Amino acid sequence: MQPIIETKQLTHIYSEGTPFQRAALNAVDFTAYRGEYLGIIGHTGSGKSTLMQHGLLKPTSGQVLYEGQDIWADPKLTRQTRFNVGLVFQYPEYQLFEETVHKDIAFGPGNMGLDPDEIDARVRRAAAF
């Protein structure tokens, strides 16, 4: 089975080249397969959030693969991947920024430029756990 998301030798350094330089990730290999439910645990500052944000953050070095393709190889692929991968925060009750859960879930699909009926259908599917 092919991984859906994978990192290869992923390294991320914050404030590189400054006195505040700090490696958050150092050569991390990670693999997730379709249908898996995974939890990432560790101490504060261990790199959990940095790892999960690598659809938004460009790695210092290494690769982030989605369905076998390096998402940073082409800006169009980076953008398309962001439409297919989501992130659920540990404490979503502190992350909501809209007045209803429906509007909050609709934020991402709305940014994709989808029509209102498609947005509503996606919100209802996503909320029907």
Side-chain angles (χ1 to χ4, degrees), residues 1-128:
M1 180 185 332
Q2 178 183 9
I4 189 163
I5 297 174
E6 185 176 14
T7 67
K8 292 184 178 183
Q9 297 295 296
L10 182 66
T11 297
H12 191 88
I13 299 173
Y14 287 106
S15 303
E16 188 172 28
T18 75
F20 304 104
Q21 180 172 312
R22 173 150 191 208
L25 301 172
N26 188 15
V28 174
D29 291 329
F30 171 82
T31 305
Y33 295 92
R34 187 175 303 280
E36 282 188 312
Y37 288 91
L38 303 170
I40 308 292
I41 60 173
H43 294 287
T44 300
S46 63
K48 304 176 302 291
S49 295
T50 301
L51 175 64
M52 294 298 105
Q53 292 177 41
H54 268 82
L56 302 172
L57 297 174
K58 188 169 185 176
T60 304
S61 65
Q63 293 181 299
V64 179
L65 307 173
Y66 176 70
E67 295 183 335
Q69 294 185 308
D70 185 341
I71 69 169
W72 292 101
D74 175 6
K76 290 178 184 175
L77 184 57
T78 306
R79 180 174 165 74
Q80 184 59 43
T81 301
R82 290 175 178 168
F83 291 160
N84 292 316
V85 177
L87 178 64
V88 178
F89 293 99
Q90 181 177 3
Y91 298 109
E93 63 272 19
Y94 300 124
Q95 307 295 322
L96 297 175
F97 52 89
E98 289 286 355
E99 58 197 39
T100 68
V101 172
H102 186 282
K103 287 181 180 179
D104 205 64
I105 295 170
F107 180 80
N111 282 339
M112 294 169 63
L114 300 175
D115 69 75
D117 290 338
E118 177 63 19
I119 292 170
D120 184 63
R122 288 186 182 205
V123 168
R124 292 179 185 280
R125 276 195 311 269

